[in-house]
Each structure stands twice: as structure tokens, then as C-alpha cells.
Amino acid sequence: MKSNIEKYKAELEGLITKGDQLSLSMTHALNPEEYKVAAKKAYGDKYSEAIAKLPDFRGTYQLWYSEAYAVIRQLIPERLSDFVRFYEKAKNRKEIDSSNYAIEDYLQGITVTRGMTVVVSLSAALPKFEQQYAQTIAFQLQRNIQPLVI
């Protein structure tokens, strides 16, 4: 029977692997041509297979978030409000800008324009997700759990 530490370690490693894939997926969705160039460099002739294996961010994120939320709530509860803040849109916001854009906005496909000028695009969610993902990695490193090499 696994100890709680072993269980959380395994869960955390799984979250990091899924988080890495989600980060790549969002990057691909936001900049497909740039990602394709990078994938060709990284995977050579197998780049299209690597791209095809990426999860659909919108379809996979909610499950990752729920799992990560539970782990962070148990292991680093002092960071839970930060983790949630990156996902949830502020209840009292009057307008959307890049500082208050949330992953929830991305999942709903929200962009903001003024006339023909894009004020906030979907790409505003990438740094928010990267912060959430970094929290799972930071905890792993903080607890001296061997980092997973991807």
C-alpha cells in the first residue's frame, strides 16, 4: 500500500506531465505556425505526430485544474488563492484587460477589441496558465522530490 507521500508524489508527477502537455497545447493553439517550426526542430520528421498527440487544451484543462487544485489545497494551501485567481475572472471587474484576463476567459474564447484594435487576445491566458503550472513544479522542487524530465 502506498503512503500518502508516495501517492502525492505520483499525483504531482502526473500533474506536471499533463501540465507540460497543456502548456504546449495552448502554445500551439495560439501560434500554430511558430509552434510547427519549433516542433520540426525538436522532433524532426516526426513533428506532425508530436503535434497530433497534444491534448485539446479546452477539453483537458478542467480535469487538470481539478486535480491540481486538490493537490495544492492539501500540500501548499497558502498558495491556493493564487492558483484559483489565475483561473477565475474577478467578480467585480468592470472591463477586461491583460492584467485581469483569466483562464476562464480563454476557455470561453473571450477577446476584447476597440474598433479594429485587439486590446486583449486569447494569448493573455498563457502567462496565467504558466503561473499555475509553475506552482506545481515549484512545490515539487521545494520538497526535494526528484523533478520529472520531459
Side-chain angles (χ1 to χ4, degrees):
M1 185 168 191
K2 286 185 175 181
S3 71
N4 281 344
I5 297 290
E6 290 170 338
K7 178 184 163 195
Y8 285 129
K9 180 179 177 182
E11 287 179 13
L12 193 56
E13 288 174 354
L15 285 171
I16 289 170
T17 300
K18 289 176 189 173
D20 185 55
Q21 291 299 304
L22 285 170
S23 180
L24 294 173
S25 174
M26 183 186 268
T27 301
H28 175 257
L30 294 170
N31 302 301
E33 289 305 313
E34 289 178 30
Y35 187 84
K36 185 177 177 181
V37 170
K40 281 183 180 180
K41 287 180 183 176
Y43 300 104
D45 293 339
K46 298 192 182 232
Y47 77 92
S48 58
E49 292 172 29
I51 291 173
K53 288 181 182 179
L54 290 174
D56 172 54
F57 187 90
R58 286 187 168 102
T60 308
Y61 173 79
Q62 295 290 358
L63 177 61
W64 180 88
Y65 176 84
S66 296
E67 292 172 359
Y69 181 95
V71 170
I72 289 172
R73 185 182 69 224
Q74 288 294 316
L75 301 178
I76 45 174
E78 67 276 9
R79 298 302 308 264
L80 187 60
S81 63
D82 291 336
F83 187 82
V84 170
R85 183 173 40 88
F86 295 123
Y87 168 71
E88 290 181 352
K89 54 188 170 197
K91 300 193 183 0
N92 61 350
R93 76 176 178 194
K94 298 195 186 313
E95 62 181 48
I96 301 173
D97 59 33
S98 60
S99 68
N100 65 15
Y101 193 87
I103 296 169
E104 188 176 19
D105 296 317
Y106 175 87
L107 295 173
Q108 294 173 1
I110 295 173
T111 59
V112 179
T113 58
R114 289 199 179 94
M116 299 299 289
T117 305
V118 175
V119 177
V120 182
S121 70
L122 295 173
S123 63
L126 185 58
K128 311 294 179 161
F129 176 71
E130 288 173 343
Q131 287 295 314
Q132 283 185 323
Y133 176 54
Q135 285 180 339
T136 61
I137 294 172
F139 176 77
Q140 183 184 40
L141 296 175
Q142 180 183 26
R143 299 288 190 234
N144 294 322
I145 298 171
Q146 182 64 33
L148 182 69
V149 178
I150 298 174

